[in-house]
Amino acid sequence: MAEKTYSSNEVQLVVFKLGREEYGVSILQVQEIKRMTDITRVPHTPDYITGVINLRGSVLPVVDLKKRLNLPAQESTDHTRIIIVKIDEVIVGMVVDAVSEVLAIDQDHIESPDAVVGGVAANFISGVGKLDNRLLILLNLEMIIGISQDTKAS
Amino acid sequence: MDTNQYMGMFLEESREHLQTLNSCLLELENDPENLSVLDEIFRSAHTIKGMSATMGFTTIAELTHEMENVLDLLRKNQLKATHEIVDTVFKCVDTLEQLVENVASGNNAAIDIKSLIDKLTKLAKGEPVVSTEEIKSGERSKLLLNETEALIIKTAKGTGMQAFDIVVSLREGCLLKSARAYMVISALEELGEIIKAIPSTEDLEKEKFDHSFNVLLLTGADLDKIQQTVLSISEVEKVEVLLCEHIQNSNVAEVSSPAVIPETVITDIQSTKLEKPSQANQANTVEKKMKGGQSVRVDIDKLDSLLNLVGELVINKTRLEQIGITHRLADLVETIEQMDRVTTDLQAVVMKVRMVPVGQVFNRFPRMVRDLSRDLNKEVNLIIQGEETELDRTVIDEIGDPLVHLLRNAIDHGIEKPHERQAHGKNPIGEIRLIARHEGNNVIIIVEDDGKGINPDVIKQKAVDKGLISQTEADKMDSNDAVRLVFLPGFSTADVVTDVSGRGVGMDAVKNKIESLGGMVDVETKLNEGSKFKIRLPLTLAIIQALLVKICEEIYAIPLGSIDSTINVTPEDIKTIQNQEVILLRGQIIPIIRLAKVLGVPQTAETLQDELFVVIVHMGEHRAGIIVDNLIGQQEIVIKSLGKLLAGIKVIAGATILGNGQVALILDVGALMQYN
């Protein structure tokens, strides 16, 4: 990324991988990125909630993003990370396969989501970012974390 | 000036000072001569006045100012702290509380303070508002007249002149007070003769007065004329003119004595009289101020995060310990041992910081009991013991309402009317004791009254009538159990629903609240001797003792408070009754909960153990046995919430962080037993 000047039209994204697809969330929602740690399973929760972790003394729920988006599961590797995001005062961790970079993308290059993109239900997606020959799927975290809907046991 | 940033501080401090006012006024009511209490009241009122004026809350400032005038007179012994005055001041404090709460909630609703201010100014002039007590003791009225003055007034009256007591208030912030005062005095002198001024004219010239002063004027002019004259002078905020009849009357009798003492002597005596208490006041102030400077106000959230950080430190220390052991670094291990001691102390101190004396809750009760007993025409003496007993802040915040309920009940249902008490050969003044004390890891709070007690038969009958229990159940019940029926939802013993209590939501709400705090409540009663409610509360909600258990690879914590015992059984000991697994423990049938199944723990392999660990838990009267794979041990754990996203999971009460940094879940025993 040679360009260092950001126009007001640009958004900065944290880019991560789930399987072979690339996803992005706004950097403003990301609190920190953590290596994989012990996750304590919580009974009687939806299966996409992996459990809870200890983040410097507070207990945070962790969501398995691939399960949430109905992507094939995979063993965790050295690259597996937990992205800690804050949405509407709720702090949640998301398990992703790898975090690749932080980049800026112009608003004009973001298109509204089609009905189904990459097998993910459309209401989890807020847009698709086009960047040279790459496609970034931008996630609607409110929907994914389930704040705007009831977290029903599956 | 932007005052918003000080708002929190203003509210906190105002509430604190209002609380002080309340408790000191109560003290004053019992001991009207107590000057140091008066000083305390005066100081608190003064602080509120100053703060509210700075913050721009003029209504509060105005009311406190008027209140202060009356208090000042009390302090200078020119007024006596009668019931009437104390009542009025109490009303002022109530209004101030309301005003402060309005500020807190951003409610702009106007509260009428005019009638109160009128009352206060009347009191300030020594004029009775209701009672006649004041008139009888004429010398208590504000203007002290010596014989000469009284004689002048008397003779003047014959010539058609009248004496007026004039209170002139200068505008707050008036710069040349003495000049204004001089203008007022000279304007009044044109109308007639000034007999006396308080403070004296010399003091007025030297600006030795606050914002108001009194003048006793002998004049042929009428009230309106005087008022107009004074108000025409700029920077005069208010003037009150009063025909002083009663001062005259009471003094006229004395005038007949021919011994006329030179005036100078008398004023001298008076001034020394006044100075003495004020010197004592100053000494007192200094003492109080030194005491007051030793505490710091801290936001509870900050303490919470401090506690979190300390917890984190402990966890990291454990990790260092492990590194030291695995790499055999003797030096490191030694250092960590030192660190261990420091962190343990640190944790203890942080926990202690969170503790607050229950007095914080108790101190609002004397006022409540006083008002309530007056409303109900009962006489009640509230005795508070052990207010220094400390409880965690979180518990303190929650315990107030249940206690209010219990106290209200005690006054309304417990304590009888004075004549009934006398008929029973009891002291007509009822007694309610509010006692707090430590008992092991618990705090006990007792609310005890010496009233009529609870009649178990009446309770049983009520419960049957309301369909809460059946007649046969009632017949089998002993009196202790019968009395406990008051904790059932929908129970009320008052025949008539009063404002105070008896809506049938009382005791079960109390019980629920206390149980939600991890506590217990019980009642003992004796007919015609009184009732005793005993509340047992954990010291803190943040840290509990728990038993850590293992199920496969997962670790769970069971609160020790709900554990009876742990036993070992063999698989053969488990029988089934209607498909429900049970064990027999000392002749009692106890249902079994297989935790692995309830929690859906992924089983690695079907482990067939010869011996099973069973944790016997209880919730109220019910018991159950929880089967676990292994017992790890007892440990003090810090309770953490699972957060909004995971709220509402049954069987899990919260989470805690173990020494190795891992999260363990805390089981909700009550929910677990229902789940089964």
Side-chain angles (χ1 to χ4, degrees):
Chain A
M1 296 216 300
E3 214 177 48
K4 280 283 176 218
T5 50
Y6 304 115
S7 77
S8 61
N9 240 3
E10 282 179 335
V11 281
Q12 288 194 66
L13 300 174
V14 174
V15 179
F16 55 88
K17 282 186 177 162
L18 294 176
R20 277 164 40 217
E21 291 168 353
E22 279 193 301
Y23 290 79
V25 290
S26 164
I27 198 163
L28 298 174
Q29 291 180 306
V30 176
Q31 298 249 307
E32 63 180 282
I33 295 162
K34 228 178 117 72
R35 285 180 176 277
M36 195 63 180
T37 66
D38 283 334
I39 300 179
T40 305
R41 190 189 67 91
V42 182
H44 304 290
T45 49
D47 68 339
Y48 63 85
I49 290 186
T50 320
V52 286
I53 56 163
N54 161 23
L55 183 76
R56 284 186 304 284
S58 32
V59 176
L60 296 188
V62 175
V63 170
D64 186 334
L65 212 47
K66 282 165 85 178
K67 267 197 187 137
R68 185 64 169 147
L69 301 177
N70 287 325
L71 298 173
Q74 204 180 338
E75 284 289 301
S76 63
T77 66
D78 263 6
H79 297 292
T80 307
R81 293 288 183 275
I82 300 174
I83 302 181
I84 313 287
V85 292
K86 186 176 181 183
I87 310 132
D88 292 344
E89 300 305 305
V90 176
I91 300 175
V92 180
M94 304 189 301
V95 181
V96 301
D97 285 346
V99 174
S100 35
E101 62 186 317
V102 174
L103 55 77
I105 184 167
D106 201 291
Q107 287 276 8
D108 298 341
H109 294 152
I110 299 176
E111 283 186 16
S112 64
D114 295 322
V116 171
V117 182
V120 179
N123 53 359
F124 287 161
I125 298 172
S126 62
V128 177
K130 291 184 293 184
L131 208 78
D132 301 332
N133 53 354
R134 293 157 72 186
L135 282 183
L136 293 181
I137 303 168
L138 308 184
L139 293 174
N140 179 350
L141 291 181
E142 282 84 355
M143 290 302 288
I144 288 176
I145 304 309
I147 292 162
S148 47
Q149 63 171 62
D150 290 334
T151 44
K152 279 176 269 175
S154 52
Chain B
M1 182 172 65
D2 177 27
T3 49
N4 265 341
Q5 54 176 319
Y6 304 113
M7 185 63 99
M9 217 202 295
F10 167 72
L11 291 173
E12 281 271 305
E13 284 190 18
S14 304
R15 285 182 189 135
E16 199 168 283
H17 282 294
L18 286 170
Q19 183 56 55
T20 317
L21 280 176
N22 256 329
S23 45
C24 288
L25 278 169
L26 279 172
E27 228 173 290
L28 184 73
E29 197 176 31
N30 292 331
D31 182 9
E33 305 296 319
N34 193 334
L35 266 179
S36 64
V37 173
L38 247 178
D39 280 333
E40 181 94 41
I41 295 172
F42 191 78
R43 264 198 303 279
S44 284
H46 194 77
T47 315
I48 295 175
K49 178 175 119 181
M51 285 190 309
S52 51
T54 319
M55 296 290 290
F57 302 122
T58 43
T59 339
I60 300 178
E62 201 181 327
L63 184 56
T64 359
H65 177 72
E66 294 299 330
M67 197 167 97
E68 212 180 273
N69 285 346
V70 174
L71 291 172
D72 197 36
L73 292 175
L74 289 174
R75 198 162 68 148
K76 288 184 180 146
N77 247 333
Q78 289 169 1
L79 266 182
K80 205 175 143 221
T82 54
H83 270 301
E84 179 197 340
I85 290 180
V86 174
D87 265 353
T88 313
V89 179
F90 262 134
K91 268 184 206 133
C92 289
V93 173
D94 286 346
T95 313
L96 286 172
E97 259 166 18
Q98 226 174 323
L99 286 165
V100 169
E101 287 321 308
N102 274 2
V103 169
S105 57
N107 178 355
N108 288 326
I111 293 175
D112 179 38
I113 58 163
K114 202 177 164 296
S115 59
L116 265 177
I117 289 188
D118 284 351
K119 224 174 189 181
L120 283 170
T121 40
K122 274 185 189 164
L123 285 173
K125 282 185 218 131
E127 197 181 274
V129 178
V130 201
S131 81
T132 51
E133 206 177 334
E134 209 65 9
I135 297 175
K136 282 179 208 149
S137 51
E139 76 273 10
R140 293 292 186 194
S141 68
K142 192 172 173 183
L143 280 174
L144 286 172
L145 297 178
N146 60 33
E147 281 86 337
T148 334
E149 288 157 2
L151 191 64
I152 296 170
I153 294 174
K154 200 198 168 197
T155 42
K157 217 178 173 189
T159 64
M161 305 259 263
Q162 276 179 313
F164 286 99
D165 179 8
I166 305 166
V167 183
V168 183
S169 309
L170 295 180
R171 193 164 298 161
E172 197 103 359
C174 167
L175 284 178
L176 293 162
K177 287 193 290 182
S178 60
R180 296 295 168 207
Y182 176 75
M183 286 168 76
V184 171
I185 300 275
S186 47
L188 288 174
E189 270 174 341
E190 280 174 26
L191 291 175
E193 190 187 347
I194 291 178
I195 306 173
K196 195 181 177 90
I198 293 176
S200 67
T201 33
E202 289 98 310
D203 280 348
L204 285 176
E205 273 167 35
K206 287 179 198 153
E207 246 178 64
K208 279 188 183 167
F209 65 104
D210 200 13
H211 282 284
S212 63
F213 55 92
N214 284 40
V215 179
L216 189 63
L217 180 75
L218 204 59
T219 178
D222 64 4
L223 204 135
D224 284 346
K225 172 86 177 147
I226 300 171
Q227 210 147 16
Q228 276 169 18
T229 314
V230 179
L231 280 176
S232 66
I233 297 159
S234 60
E235 286 196 296
V236 169
E237 188 172 62
K238 211 166 51 184
V239 59
E240 282 152 35
V241 185
L242 198 75
L243 186 65
C244 43
E245 297 268 27
H246 65 271
I247 299 173
Q248 251 170 284
N249 293 343
S250 60
N251 282 285
V252 171
E254 287 165 35
V255 177
S256 57
S257 82
V260 176
I261 305 157
E263 200 183 337
T264 47
V265 178
I266 290 176
T267 41
D268 265 351
I269 291 169
Q270 278 180 349
S271 63
T272 45
K273 246 194 221 164
L274 293 180
E275 259 164 39
K276 263 188 189 160
S278 77
Q279 269 170 3
N281 292 349
Q282 273 173 358
N284 248 334
T285 320
V286 173
E287 215 174 275
K288 281 277 160 68
K289 268 189 185 152
M290 279 166 62
K291 270 188 211 161
Q294 288 172 339
S295 70
V296 180
R297 207 181 288 278
V298 183
D299 194 342
I300 189 80
D301 288 344
K302 282 188 190 154
L303 287 183
D304 280 345
S305 60
L306 184 61
L307 187 68
N308 261 346
L309 291 173
V310 171
E312 196 60 17
L313 196 63
V314 172
I315 291 161
N316 282 319
K317 182 213 70 195
T318 323
R319 282 186 196 151
L320 278 178
E321 246 167 22
Q322 276 161 2
I323 294 170
I325 291 163
T326 40
H327 295 274
R328 295 173 196 221
L329 302 167
D331 285 357
L332 183 65
V333 172
E334 212 169 280
T335 321
I336 288 167
E337 266 170 29
Q338 299 267 7
M339 198 174 134
D340 187 28
R341 259 169 250 143
V342 177
T343 46
T344 313
D345 285 355
L346 191 59
Q347 205 167 6
V349 170
V350 172
M351 284 317 296
K352 242 184 236 162
V353 168
R354 290 174 53 92
M355 304 293 256
V356 220
V358 282
Q360 278 204 1
V361 185
F362 285 7
N363 58 18
R364 66 176 153 125
F365 293 144
R367 173 73 200 279
M368 193 197 85
V369 170
R370 168 194 179 271
D371 288 357
L372 210 59
S373 50
R374 276 199 172 190
D375 286 349
L376 295 168
N377 288 323
K378 293 178 181 179
E379 281 183 65
V380 179
N381 194 4
L382 177 70
I383 298 171
I384 293 180
Q385 281 171 4
E387 62 250 73
E388 70 288 339
T389 312
E390 287 188 328
L391 263 169
D392 190 90
R393 182 62 200 246
T394 39
V395 184
I396 291 275
D397 289 344
E398 300 290 324
I399 192 65
D401 287 346
L403 286 179
V404 167
H405 241 111
L406 290 177
L407 285 170
R408 280 170 167 250
N409 273 340
I411 301 166
D412 196 17
H413 306 313
I415 303 287
E416 314 92 325
K417 296 245 153 93
H419 63 91
E420 288 172 40
R421 292 182 63 87
Q422 258 163 342
H424 277 105
K426 291 199 229 177
N427 186 341
I429 301 173
E431 197 176 279
I432 295 179
R433 287 172 179 274
L434 182 60
I435 304 166
R437 63 162 187 266
H438 282 292
E439 213 176 272
N441 237 345
N442 291 303
V443 167
I444 309 286
I445 299 176
I446 294 170
V447 179
E448 194 178 8
D449 66 66
D450 65 348
K452 59 182 171 228
I454 305 171
N455 187 339
D457 296 330
V458 173
I459 299 287
K460 273 191 206 173
Q461 197 50 50
K462 269 262 154 71
V464 173
D465 289 350
K466 287 184 191 253
L468 297 170
I469 55 166
S470 68
Q471 187 63 50
T472 37
E473 274 180 298
D475 292 341
K476 270 190 260 170
M477 226 171 240
D478 66 13
S479 57
N480 276 339
D481 284 339
V483 170
R484 286 195 192 102
L485 288 172
V486 296
F487 292 118
L488 280 182
F491 194 93
S492 168
T493 50
D495 291 326
V496 186
V497 172
T498 66
D499 248 1
V500 180
S501 55
R503 283 191 198 83
V505 289
M507 295 309 289
D508 67 306
V510 169
K511 189 176 185 226
N512 280 346
K513 184 92 217 171
I514 287 165
E515 283 183 352
S516 77
L517 294 172
M520 285 183 330
V521 59
D522 201 9
V523 54
E524 282 169 33
T525 184
K526 258 195 187 146
L527 212 52
N528 289 327
E529 278 179 35
S531 328
K532 179 174 169 184
F533 287 88
K534 193 171 173 186
I535 299 171
R536 181 184 293 268
L537 285 168
L539 268 186
T540 168
L541 292 183
I543 291 191
I544 58 163
Q545 289 281 339
L547 179 72
L548 296 184
V549 298
K550 209 167 181 181
I551 301 135
C552 290
E553 291 309 305
E554 295 184 359
I555 296 171
Y556 289 91
I558 306 174
L560 216 56
S562 45
I563 296 178
D564 266 1
S565 57
T566 57
I567 53 166
N568 294 353
V569 297
T570 57
E572 291 81 54
D573 290 336
I574 299 176
K575 318 269 189 256
T576 57
I577 297 176
Q578 291 185 333
N579 269 340
Q580 166 69 57
E581 287 184 303
V582 297
I583 54 167
L584 214 59
L585 180 69
R586 290 188 288 274
Q588 222 187 337
I589 295 169
I590 293 173
I592 286 291
I593 300 169
R594 285 193 185 263
L595 213 46
K597 218 165 83 193
V598 175
L599 301 177
V601 180
Q603 298 276 7
T604 39
E606 193 59 38
T607 42
L608 272 175
Q609 287 172 299
D610 303 341
E611 236 184 1
L612 294 170
F613 293 99
V614 180
V615 182
I616 307 291
V617 293
H618 65 89
M619 193 32 79
E621 302 291 294
H622 303 283
R623 281 155 188 260
I626 298 177
I627 295 192
V628 299
D629 287 354
N630 219 335
L631 303 175
I632 297 172
Q634 181 182 332
Q635 198 179 313
E636 222 166 46
I637 58 167
V638 181
I639 300 178
K640 313 241 173 198
S641 138
L642 279 177
K644 215 155 96 184
L645 197 62
L646 296 181
I649 298 175
K650 287 214 171 111
V651 311
I652 302 295
T656 187
I657 293 166
L658 301 177
N660 60 6
Q662 228 184 318
V663 180
L665 301 176
I666 304 164
L667 295 178
D668 183 337
V669 172
L672 205 58
M673 287 166 74
Q674 276 169 15
Y675 191 86
N676 220 31

